[in-house]
Amino acid sequence: MYSLWRPRVLGTWRVPAAGPVILAVNHAHNIDGPMLMGTAPRPVHFLIKKEAFVGPLDPFLRGIGQLRVDRDAADRGAVMQALAVLERGGVLGIFPEGTRGGGDFASLRSGLSYFALRSGAAVVPVAVLGSAERSGRLIRALPPLRSRVDVVFGDPFTVGDGSGRRTRKALDEATLELQQRLTGHLDDARRFTGR
């Protein structure tokens, strides 16, 4: 990441040095996940769509600990692998909106809430800014080479009452709280970075 772009990474000290952590990342461009993997202070295991695991990328992604998920069905295997990462005290990366979009946390799915409630892990909001501002001249699908991309880590927090209950009401309440905190962090990150 540092050889292709100029990441400015802010707030890495906010990521707990040990224990289970969920990095909740906005997603506006394909490089957001790799950018976070290359700049995070701890190794990150992302839930990545199964379509990405093709050709030489398959063994590479598996080799660096990424988790293959079928977004078209309830992928129990991927859920169990993600929970195992957290049980081992690892870091799970999630795009809470489930797919690439405006990068504004406008429409959260319940997956982040489920993992946060079930594991009790700290959630760290992460804003990746600048990756989708403009296209490169050489490779239109990527931001311009050597352009600045900001990665801003927020303060960790937990959701729920600590009971681990995952009722529909608890998931809805957690999703609402997560959306408020994530959009608040995104707004703060934009003000701080001037983006």
Side-chain angles (χ1 to χ4, degrees), residues 47-51 53 67-71 73 75 78-79:
L47 287 164
I48 299 176
K49 63 184 178 181
K50 68 178 183 180
E51 294 83 3
F53 288 77
L67 310 173
R68 183 178 181 265
V69 65
D70 183 351
R71 297 182 305 167
D75 191 339
V79 169

Side-chain angles (χ1 to χ4, degrees), residues 30 50 54 77 129 132 138 167 177:
N30 283 334
K50 68 178 183 180
V54 294
L129 304 171
L138 296 175
T167 62
E177 180 183 354

Side-chain angles (χ1 to χ4, degrees), residues 45 66 70 102 122 149 167:
H45 304 272
Q66 304 315 304
D70 183 351
V149 177
T167 62

Side-chain angles (χ1 to χ4, degrees), residues 155-172:
D155 291 318
F157 63 92
T158 57
V159 294
D161 58 10
S163 68
R165 67 185 174 96
R166 299 174 304 277
T167 62
R168 174 49 53 198
K169 183 178 182 209
L171 284 170
D172 290 345

Side-chain angles (χ1 to χ4, degrees), residues 36-127:
L36 184 63
M37 283 184 250
T39 59
R42 294 176 60 188
V44 182
H45 304 272
F46 265 98
L47 287 164
I48 299 176
K49 63 184 178 181
K50 68 178 183 180
E51 294 83 3
F53 288 77
V54 294
L57 268 182
D58 182 29
F60 173 74
L61 290 172
R62 289 178 193 274
I64 62 171
Q66 304 315 304
L67 310 173
R68 183 178 181 265
V69 65
D70 183 351
R71 297 182 305 167
D72 298 326
D75 191 339
R76 185 162 173 73
V79 169
M80 298 312 290
Q81 287 180 328
L83 287 171
V85 166
L86 296 171
E87 287 168 9
R88 290 190 306 267
V91 179
L92 180 66
I94 294 182
F95 297 118
E97 295 177 284
T99 188
R100 192 173 62 252
D104 54 6
F105 296 121
S107 176
L108 265 58
R109 299 174 118 190
S110 61
L112 173 58
S113 302
Y114 175 82
F115 288 119
L117 289 172
R118 172 96 186 254
S119 68
V123 177
V124 175
V126 183

Side-chain angles (χ1 to χ4, degrees), residues 8-11 14 124-129 150-154 185 188-190 192-193:
R8 182 170 60 167
V9 185
L10 306 167
R14 292 181 169 128
V124 175
V126 183
V128 178
L129 304 171
D150 293 323
V151 181
V152 185
F153 293 88
H185 170 67
D188 290 345
R190 284 179 173 151
F192 187 72
T193 60

